[in-house]
Amino acid sequence: MKNLNLSAVSENLTKDIGSRRRELIDIAKRLGENGLLVRTWGNISVRDGKDHMLISPSGIRYEDMEADNICRVNIRDLSWDGKLKPSSEMLVHAAAYIARPDCEYIVHTHQTYATVASCLGIKDLKIYSDDYDLRIPVADYALPGTARLADNVASCLNRHRGSDFILLSNHGTLCLGESADECVEQSVYMEKACRHYLTDKCRTDLDCGIVKGYDSHMEDGRIVYEDGDVPQRVKRIHEEIYKKRPDVSYIVHNKSEASLIVSRRATVLRPLLDDFAQIIGTGVRIPFNYHGRDGGRLIVSSKVNCVFVPDDGVYCLGDDLEEARAAALIADKACIAQVAASRSGHGKALGLIDCMKMNRNYRKKYAALAKK
Ligand SMILES: [Zn+2]
């Protein structure tokens, strides 16, 4: 078992609750600056005495988070107080604090390369990065927010007592630290190491994010393109999407390297990652034989928030710009995962029933938040 760093623990005990809350916001800011935490995805906590933790709330953007939004949760019985509901992943944090009494801070992210590495079906990643031999254990899959996922995390931490970071299969990362700095540094290091792993073992070295194509939005019943000079072929794609999806108001066209590869090579994009099932859908069919010609076939489904066009990347749909951009980021990560999985011959797609549950829950939760 890892030795307890009592000086770090006692130093944290002397901090008042207000400064710990501010520290969480600072961690979120630093993770955001490193591109590891976006929107409301992921969560951060700090231990507060023997039986409590402070944790980021559910459904609030990190850039909007204020100290009094942070919730205080009992790690034994999960009772909580605060203005906002704690993150639904509080069970995982509580289980980790109980399994690891030396841990003072926990960061959970859906950061791209580490999350992609988590979906390859490998239980124990062995990575050589920056002159270090690194081992990253992977906790077994369970639906997010469930007691089963918390149990899987606890048993993974118990089996690997020396590991300060683990992956959650098909979902994301968990970094445990004795200080805020340690947690941030570990998250950054893990991302770099996992990118090396994907390059070496899966022959997949792809940048992540959005490479702008042709975006548009609906205004007073007509399509407004963000740029002039839109080819007729592209206009037809936008027109058909808005016609078949009257609920959509924004389209973000992502021509990232990974999206282009998948749009050229794949006929289906299966959910390898939780956030894909939640935000995009339970699977995406990709048409072939379109090749950008007029009159080709598009597959626009009422339950899938992106549309692939062969050799042209992916058109991502949303009720507002933020939602469409979120779909574009998630689709890009899913495409990197698809390429890594197919090149390495590993990768296990999530079950359809699990995906349907996640998709339904996500829609319900965000519909309720939007109403508020
Ligand atoms: Zn998560």
Side-chain angles (χ1 to χ4, degrees), residues 41-43 89 108-110 144 149 168 171-173 274:
W41 305 328
N43 30 71
E89 280 161 338
H108 164 60
T109 71
H110 300 171
L149 179 59
L168 277 56
H171 182 126
T173 68
D274 277 349

Side-chain angles (χ1 to χ4, degrees), residues 55-60 65-66 68-72 80-87 372:
I55 187 165
S56 47
S58 176
I60 189 163
M65 200 161 72
E66 291 174 5
D68 65 353
N69 297 147
I70 290 165
C71 320
R72 186 167 186 265
W80 58 274
D81 55 75
K83 280 188 194 169
L84 299 171
K85 204 173 158 192
S87 159
K372 271 189 202 169

Side-chain angles (χ1 to χ4, degrees), residues 47 50-51 73-79 94 98:
R47 195 188 282 277
K50 191 166 150 275
D51 291 327
V73 178
N74 184 311
I75 60 172
R76 314 273 163 196
D77 63 14
L78 301 175
S79 58
I98 292 169

